[in-house]
Amino acid sequence: LAFDSGGVTTGPITVPFIMALCVGVALNTGGRRAKENSFGLIALCSIGPMLAVMILSLATKGNLTYTLADYSIEANLGANDLILTNEYIYEPAISKLDLGCQTLFQEKYGAGEPTDVMVDAILDELRGKNYDRIIAVGGGTIIDIAKVLAVATAEDKVDDLYDRMPDGLTKVHPLVIVPTTCGTGSEVTNISII
């Protein structure tokens, strides 16, 4: 919850919406200092979700946790699942859970923003592997790659997906997203940037 409320302030959907709303409210309210008043309204809208989380934590006395270990038991993660993440996230946080899932580390295929070449290399690596669900643990790059993997068949390359886009892509694998950064917006859209 705190993670999501932090992302609210800088999110790609929130910023233009809140700015337009607050400037419009201030201008319609009128007065000589309408533009300065809009800044205060933006601040109130941005801090509201964070204050709500703080109040929630006081009300629950900090007893509101749900860990990856809890989810792995509830979702019965195992050999038919693929975890897409970075090694620097996997080693300290996930490996000790001994889930028995297949793993794929994004940084072995390139650094930075995902490219067609990077995603094609990952698709090539996954050919012949059987997995049902994809669990993406990471930031925008991991999540964007996972969204592509979720709609790709075993034979697909990125260009094949581009060719099928006008007709619509269908999900081949269920996708579970565990974001580790806030504000990218990747975790809440069905768009993948590569």
Side-chain angles (χ1 to χ4, degrees), residues 19-91:
M19 285 182 68
L21 176 71
C22 292
V23 169
V25 167
L27 290 174
N28 284 320
T29 303
R32 294 184 338 182
R33 299 173 60 143
K35 289 185 180 176
E36 289 99 4
N37 292 342
S38 68
F39 180 75
L41 289 171
I42 291 170
L44 286 174
C45 289
S46 294
I47 201 165
M50 290 181 255
L51 288 174
V53 169
M54 289 179 190
I55 292 168
L56 179 65
S57 70
L58 291 173
T60 61
K61 298 182 175 123
N63 197 13
L64 188 64
T65 59
Y66 191 70
T67 65
L68 186 58
D70 295 333
Y71 175 77
S72 68
I73 293 167
E74 190 174 306
N76 196 25
L77 295 183
N80 290 329
D81 296 306
L82 172 69
I83 296 177
L84 174 65
T85 189
N86 297 106
E87 199 163 6
Y88 65 84
I89 294 172
Y90 182 82
E91 286 306 323

Side-chain angles (χ1 to χ4, degrees), residues 9 21 29 66 72 90 100 128 130 144 149 166 171 175 177 184 188:
T9 303
L21 176 71
T29 303
Y66 191 70
S72 68
Y90 182 82
N130 293 319
D144 284 343
L149 298 180
K171 191 183 291 187
L175 176 60
I177 296 175
T184 65
V188 295

